[in-house]
Amino acid sequence: MHEFSLIEGVLNMVRDSASQNNIGKVNRVKLVVGRLSMALPDSLHFAFEAICKDEDLFREAILEIEEKEIMCDCLACQRSSELKDIYSFICPACGSNRIEITQGRELYLDYYEGEEVNGAGSNGG
Ligand SMILES: [Zn+2]
């Protein structure tokens, strides 16, 4: 359950940041997840909900995931292409295996949104 520890790490960061910024309730957490990170969005959502339901800070939080395609630069033909097959690292344009992955390994917290503890009340949204 690689996704559980990932989500725990992300929530720890949000928790630290929230306490520094007087955030009492987190509404949204946005993650960027590359396809090569091997983290499955469904499992991330599952882990997120399982952990969040027990914690007031995150109880109403929504997890948003932006998936990044795998992109590679080919050293043979100099083209950048999207790599569709993650199990064969071959340039889709020329078939060379001399490629460098330039995108797709990402896995990070993009941002989160929350509400401050004090100053609660409607703001006419
Ligand atoms: Zn190539």
Side-chain angles (χ1 to χ4, degrees), residues 74 76-77 91 93-96:
C74 177
C77 72
C91 171
C94 75
S96 167

Side-chain angles (χ1 to χ4, degrees), residues 16-122:
D16 284 354
S17 167
S19 72
Q20 281 165 24
N21 293 290
N22 269 335
I23 304 285
K25 184 180 144 204
V26 172
N27 294 329
R28 183 185 296 271
V29 175
K30 162 95 184 284
L31 287 183
V32 175
V33 178
R35 291 195 189 280
L36 261 185
S37 71
M38 302 294 181
L40 300 171
D42 282 355
S43 303
L44 291 170
H45 278 289
F46 178 78
F48 186 84
E49 277 160 31
I51 297 170
C52 288
K53 71 178 166 49
D54 293 329
E55 201 171 328
D56 284 345
L57 180 62
F58 297 117
R59 190 156 305 188
E60 292 171 49
I62 294 166
L63 176 65
E64 194 178 305
I65 293 176
E66 179 184 340
E67 289 188 82
K68 292 271 194 193
E69 303 301 333
I70 304 165
M71 297 297 293
C72 64
D73 280 350
C74 177
L75 303 179
C77 72
Q78 313 293 326
R79 268 180 275 205
S80 309
S81 323
E82 182 186 333
L83 202 62
K84 301 256 188 207
D85 181 357
I86 66 168
Y87 298 107
S88 61
F89 282 31
I90 293 173
C91 171
C94 75
S96 167
N97 61 1
R98 292 173 57 219
I99 60 172
E100 274 178 5
I101 303 298
T102 55
Q103 177 185 291
R105 291 197 174 100
E106 297 84 353
L107 208 163
Y108 59 87
L109 173 67
D110 191 11
Y111 66 84
Y112 75 94
E113 292 170 7
E115 289 172 22
E116 288 183 33
V117 187
N118 44 15
S122 80

